[in-house]
Amino acid sequence: NQELQDVVSRVTKIAEEDHLTKSYNRRYIMDVLSRERAFADRTGRQFSILLFDIDHFKSINDRFGHLVGDQILTDFARRVKAELRGMDTVNATDHKLSFGRYGGEEFIAVLPYTGIQGAELCAERIREVIAADAFIDDFRVTVSVGVAEYQLGETVPQLLTRADQALYQAKRDGRNLVRCSEY
């Protein structure tokens, strides 16, 4: 029985985890968002998302190669997870902070029980942590962040679109910024 449980545990981890960054994969994060939406619709509890995009990442890959890019992605994910873990609270429910790779150099964090103001503070703190310390070989990286709070009745794609619009506003405004979605 223990051997079977170990195999199931390993297969589950493979199915949920991005192999490079060891954060959740997009499929798992989309499931988390669907569950959070259903929970919010039932209870009226708020939640927010943070959509991260590493600034000028394509030029990093083009100039220094994909191995350096992969190391930066891995280190970025590690740093963000460490910051999010510091916020996590002991919670008897299934609703915990989730962080995953959304695609390429984009990542997403799901913040249960968090309104737009708390999510913006969290995003700003993470943005500062990323910009403050060099990555490999004294390489500096910045991140732009889009923040959106779930509005009752909206779909997950609508929520993601609002966060994405805020993210691209941060990019248009000069990068290394946090921008929040308007309702």
Side-chain angles (χ1 to χ4, degrees), residues 15-164:
E16 295 175 348
E17 187 178 82
D18 175 66
H19 72 283
L20 178 64
T21 64
K22 305 302 182 217
S23 53
Y24 291 121
N25 62 30
R26 183 182 178 122
R27 185 185 55 199
Y28 182 81
I29 284 294
M30 295 305 287
D31 185 52
V32 167
L33 281 172
S34 293
R35 284 183 286 155
E36 281 302 320
R37 177 185 181 267
F39 184 75
D41 286 345
R42 276 193 321 274
T43 66
R45 293 282 190 148
Q46 57 193 180
F47 77 94
S48 295
I49 62 172
L50 310 178
L51 195 56
F52 302 92
D53 190 295
I54 298 173
D55 296 326
H56 304 292
F57 189 76
K58 183 181 180 329
S59 67
I60 294 169
N61 273 341
D62 290 348
R63 188 166 174 205
F64 301 102
H66 289 277
L67 292 178
V68 170
D70 286 353
Q71 183 58 48
I72 288 172
L73 290 173
T74 301
D75 198 18
F76 174 83
R78 183 189 54 76
R79 292 178 190 198
V80 174
K81 286 188 288 188
E83 279 301 305
L84 290 173
R85 197 168 20 256
M87 292 181 47
D88 208 354
T89 57
V90 176
N91 188 336
T93 72
D94 214 11
H95 301 272
K96 295 184 178 145
L97 298 171
S98 295
F99 175 74
R101 191 168 178 194
Y102 190 62
E105 72 278 8
E106 288 188 333
F107 292 82
I108 187 170
V110 181
L111 308 177
Y113 304 103
T114 306
I116 193 79
Q117 292 170 333
E120 182 180 19
L121 288 172
C122 176
E124 187 60 39
R125 188 180 68 251
I126 291 169
R127 186 200 62 75
E128 290 172 0
V129 164
I130 296 302
D133 293 322
F135 283 62
I136 61 170
D137 297 328
D138 288 328
F139 197 84
R140 294 285 173 175
V141 173
T142 61
V143 65
S144 298
V145 189
V147 181
E149 179 182 342
Y150 174 71
Q151 301 299 303
L152 287 177
E154 79 179 327
T155 65
V156 168
Q158 288 169 329
L159 173 64
L160 289 166
T161 296
R162 288 192 304 107
D164 198 47

